[in-house]
């Protein structure tokens, strides 16, 4: 029962141990079509600061991309700690 990284979709998928804290956000990226790395999106997650201070947050983005290996582009993993 620990986090892992596994090969998937031509990249590396990060797998956590607690699905209760997982969030799936569906959005459309802005940026020039057909230009690798040109897409972007802003995602705002609301969480009470009093409950979040000291919380480690992990994120990874998977983007459906017909030109990427196996149709998916995966970001690097991100970890940050919420501070006051």
């Amino acid at each position: 029962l620990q986090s892992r990284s596994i090969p998937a979709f031509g990249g590396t998928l990060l797998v956590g141990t607690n699905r209760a804290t997982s969030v799936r956000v569906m959005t459309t990226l802005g940026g020039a079509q057909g230009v690798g790395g040109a897409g972007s999106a802003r995602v705002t997650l609301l969480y009470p600061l009093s409950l979040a201070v000291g919380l480690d947050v992990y994120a990874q983005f998977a983007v459906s991309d017909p030109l990427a290996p196996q149709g998916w582009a995966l970001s690097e993993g991100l970890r940050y700690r919420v501070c006051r």
Side-chain angles (χ1 to χ4, degrees):
L1 297 175
Q2 60 186 350
S3 299
R4 294 274 188 220
S5 58
I6 58 173
F9 307 112
T12 302
L13 181 64
L14 305 177
V15 181
T17 59
N18 189 350
R19 287 188 51 102
T21 57
S22 296
V23 176
R24 182 177 181 183
V25 177
M26 302 296 287
T27 187
T28 301
L29 295 179
Q33 188 173 5
V35 178
S40 65
R42 179 176 290 229
V43 178
T44 302
L45 301 176
L46 301 176
Y47 198 84
L49 183 60
S50 61
L51 298 176
V53 171
L55 183 70
D56 285 329
V57 178
Y58 299 86
Q60 182 178 27
F61 299 91
V63 179
S64 175
D65 181 351
L67 299 178
Q70 299 183 29
W72 289 93
L74 302 174
S75 73
E76 295 287 334
L78 172 68
R79 175 185 165 258
Y80 61 94
R81 177 163 286 174
V82 178
C83 300
R84 195 173 259 309

